[in-house]
Amino acid sequence: MLIPCPHCGLRPSEEFTPKGLAEAPRPVIGGADLPEDATWQDYLHTRTNRAGDTDEYFHHALGCRSWVVVHRNTLTHEVYGATMASEFWAQKNQQPEQETGQ
Amino acid sequence: MSARLPQPNRLESGGIINRDRPVIFTFDRRVYQGFEGDSLASALLANGVKLFGRSFKYHRPRGILGAGPEEPNALVEVDHGPAERDPNHRATMLEIYEGLETFSQNHFGPLGMDVMEVNDLISRFLPAGFYYKTFFFGGLQAWYRLYEPIIRRAAGLGRPPLAADPHHYEKIYTHADTLIVGGGIAGLTTALSLAKAGQSVVVCEERDRMGGSALWQGETFDGQSGADYVNHLCAEIEAAGGRVLPRTTVFGVYDAGTFGAVERCHDHLAKADRRPHTARMKYHRIQARNIVYATGAIERSVGFKGNDRPGVMLASAGHTFLGKYGVRVGERATVFTTHDGGYGTAAALAQAGAAVTVLDARAEANVVIDGVTVIKGVYAKQAHGRMGLRRVDYDGASNGSLDTDSLLVAGGWNPAVHLTSHTTDRRQSKPVYDPEMLAFLPPELVETEAAAGSVTGAMSTADCLTSAQAAGKKLGGKAVALPTVASALPVSKPMEMWAVPGAGDAAFLDMQNDATVKDIKLSAQEGFKSVEHMKRYTTLGMATDQGKTANVTGLALLAAATGRDIAQVGTTTFRPPYTPIPVGALAGHHRQRDYEPFRYSPIHAWAEANGATFMEAGLWMRPAYYTRPGDKTWLDSAVRETKATRDSLGITDVSTLGKIDIQGPDAAEFLNRLYTNGWKTLPVGKARYGLMLREDGLVFDDGTTSRLADNHFYMTTTTAHAAGVMAHMEFMHQSAWPDLRVAFGSVTDQWGGLALAGPQARACLAKLFPDLDVTNDGLPFMGVLETQWNGFTARIFRISFSGELAYEVAVPADVFEAFWLEALRVGAEWDITPYGLEALNIMRIEKGHVTGAELDGRVSMDDVGLGKMVSTKKDFVGRAMSQRAAFADPDRAKMVGLVAAKPDDKIIGGGILFASADGPFDHTTMLGYVTSVAQYSPLKDRSIALAFIKNASDWHGKTLYVVSHVHGKSIMEVHAESPHFYDPKNEKVMS
Ligand SMILES: [Zn+2]
């Protein structure tokens, strides 16, 4: 698998460490702060584990040290692209909510 | 050069072997002679050897079936001593060299008289699924006593080497615009077309040289011999910047244009010719935009009784031995064919002087060859000759018997589509069955893929060349002029005959696993009708050859037995590797000492020269203890170091701690969010102990962070978690708080650090820094000073892990050794004593300080007695989850200290705690467990430990029992108390 790091370009996946699905942003400070809160439960434990298009955190640990969100398809292994984690949630919030058909 | 010995089956001319270079080698200790360019198979066949090994299950005598990588039978061991014993070489792929020693495999006793051959005699009692069925009888006892020992002895192919592999392997990245798999005439032509268009190309050919069938089919290209034309093509490709790699097997196709290939660099060379320190094999990780499958086709046999007898082989194999190696496999040859292609082999053998009869399965066949007898409409019914073929019976339109010494079977061709199915996930399609061609062809290829040559189903050389031109065009190549091919090889589509009428047992499909026509029928009969089930039930296609000659026939027979089309049955999924590859090739240099890098402190050389014994801490090598005269054991050393530190002055290397430099206007806010406690009020020139949680509320790491300036902090982490903490900080900053104006980087390698500990630590520090005020007022507990030492920055932190008055001093790593030596010189006055991790461990356990043994990813802040370190005024990683009700459960195990009741008892790490010495010692009565042990504490004059136990404080002052189930269930009495054995009021560190 090759990952297009927005900073370094196309690099082999061995340079990256995966973390998991990027499905929700970390709950904001001063907002949800109790363990019973569904926002926290979802953030920590709920994963759709969808077969198909996914967004996943990868750390370019043996490269520029950026955390990136890789957009790929787990069925076809096609990698569509990657976004800096630092820009990912801001970009996502700007986009109108799309029908995901879940 | 040695004298020429007779080779009865070698022709005086022909082939591309070098008759001027005889080569001496052995097989089963007998000495033979072949020629440079021979494979072991061709050389032994030239010498009249027919028997190469025994089959896996029935131990039937076996010869050679193929002439290339598909060979299922002739597996041999190369043996040059215990470390270089290498099993399962295909004799057809093993190139001979001077001094090569080989052995046949899989027999008990001499190859000619194998006692396990009894399996063959009782083979009708050993059908497919035999093992699954039989071992139900007699129960477990019978399994252990009877079945398993027998199976263990009989199982496996060949013997493994007995010592570590002495060879050298390399991994390399190979980049190309296009990878061409297969260096036959089609692959080379495609490569030339692409190279001429400016593409960088790599052609990988798994055999010893480029050329494929052009090397043996006897055709000419623009009047040149096949071998000459191939050389010409290779030269042109290389002139255009391309690379050709013989002996290189592309074993796997992976995502995004990644391919795995292994190049065999040494195995064909005599030992004297192997350059030292060069690789036996190279593992190429190939990155290429496009791929061309020019993988050729593998001939298949036909199922009939005795089709595994030594002397029965594929027609293409017999033809290859003749054309490439100048070896005539028989004098009285029989060709059994289902298509016109068999006649080419018959003609070649007849021309080489053999008496040839063709058994043609087709009633109307019309190829005529001078001097060759043709019997039409018949099939080989049974082959006779246990140790070598003697006779073949035929049946059909007529019947009869032929005396013969070789039977060459032309059952049709299976395109080598394996690699095209490695990326089935991406393509969402599998190889497709073509009922016209009676073969599986590559699926529809995507725009970055092309296929060329016989893998496409092309049968004649001219068609193969045309397909190569098309493949080149598809991938952007230039048109190349195709040569005029002069060919006398007839081709036609085959007649459908997977097994002859009435074939059953002893009609072999998978020679390596001894799967027969009967087994397939049995599989269908017993309900294993899916091709995947059939494969596992019969083991067809499951051995080292992965059924290259057998799979398609097997599923064709399964289709017939279940009344389905072959297309409906489909294929099993081919997965990498295409052929077996040594694990050593994949490991490369990552083995033994070089498996992972080592990290050394700047004073490693000093420590080594001064009696240190090292222990691994992650990648670091850290001194565990320093042996001095009089120390009998490591414990003697550790206790001596502990006492010296507690009584006067100790020094230890803390360079391995993780160090992270944090700067920016929001640095304090960043720390506030990472640690449980507050950081905004920390004054410049002060350090603070910090605790990090994971987002799920469990303890992650701890360490000390100092404020060097308003916007500048210096963090330390545990040695073990340094990398993890760094990645965690980067994740939080980038994914959750990108707005924070903070930057940070690891400076672990930039700074060396030492700790001075003990009552004389201040005096020593004052001598090292005479101009500095290091009094309790000038540098109080948790104070930080930045100063100079000989013109270099030095940072002094008054922090303590040992529980003594202590200072940690960091200087740039490149002057650290000098600084360390200076500290030793200055400290000599107080008998300064270097101490290692073992002494540090004793001291921190006495002090009740936690390390990774306690912070094991299951404990909360409260569990380790740090629950008060929470600022409730802010958010931080893990805050929400740390408030989970379960963490407040009084039944949660918390930290406690243990002291052995008897002076000589050593508490056992990992031991389980119980309230009673009477048992039972199980989960119903278990109260807790031991995490860290000091085998001897000078403070308590006996063994002490840290442990976790339910209702911890209730146990203070009470007796418990430690039981270790992995140490003979010894029961040891201990007394529980506060884990802070030493100086619980912190008077020493504050003094
Ligand atoms: Zn990067």
Side-chain angles (χ1 to χ4, degrees), chain A residues 5-9 11 15-16 60 63-66 68 84:
Chain A
C5 174
H7 184 265
C8 309
R11 305 298 307 167
E15 293 180 1
F16 295 77
H60 199 185
C64 66
R65 304 287 300 181
S66 292
V68 300
M84 286 288 190

Side-chain angles (χ1 to χ4, degrees), chain B residues 220 224-225 254 316 362 477 487 615 651 674 687 797 869 943 957:
Chain B
T220 60
Q224 286 181 291
S225 75
Y254 304 92
S316 59
R362 300 167 301 175
S487 176
M615 67 165 70
I651 182 171
L674 290 171
F797 310 87
M869 284 189 55
S943 177

Side-chain angles (χ1 to χ4, degrees), chain B residues 36-153:
Chain B
E36 185 181 86
D38 259 328
S39 68
L40 180 69
S42 67
L44 286 176
L45 287 170
N47 281 281
V49 174
K50 281 199 164 162
L51 190 56
F52 278 73
R54 292 273 177 169
S55 71
F56 177 62
K57 189 168 159 190
Y58 302 136
H59 288 247
R60 286 169 70 94
R62 290 280 165 80
I64 295 274
L65 183 73
E70 72 281 5
E71 174 60 30
N73 283 334
L75 301 182
V76 300
E77 187 174 282
V78 174
D79 195 345
H80 292 142
E84 294 189 66
R85 191 161 83 187
D86 204 19
N88 297 329
H89 277 275
R90 290 153 295 180
T92 51
M93 294 295 281
L94 182 61
E95 297 169 54
I96 61 166
Y97 51 81
E98 195 71 24
L100 172 70
E101 293 178 57
T102 61
F103 294 87
S104 55
Q105 295 183 173
N106 214 30
H107 50 91
F108 297 88
L111 180 57
M113 316 186 295
D114 179 353
V115 294
M116 289 295 273
E117 199 178 343
V118 66
N119 276 8
D120 188 23
L121 302 178
I122 60 165
S123 67
R124 64 200 161 97
F125 305 113
L126 291 175
F130 166 78
Y131 294 121
Y132 302 123
K133 290 169 188 164
T134 308
F135 301 129
F136 287 115
F137 298 106
L140 263 187
Q141 285 304 312
W143 169 255
Y144 286 123
R145 291 206 185 134
L146 182 63
Y147 301 128
E148 198 193 5
I150 294 173
I151 293 171
R152 282 217 181 280
R153 187 146 178 253

Side-chain angles (χ1 to χ4, degrees), chain B residues 765-789:
Chain B
L765 187 72
K767 250 184 138 176
L768 277 167
F769 297 95
D771 302 333
L772 214 59
D773 177 8
V774 295
T775 61
N776 208 16
D777 291 336
L779 182 55
F781 182 54
M782 295 310 258
V784 177
L785 286 175
E786 194 164 81
T787 182
Q788 297 274 307
W789 180 76

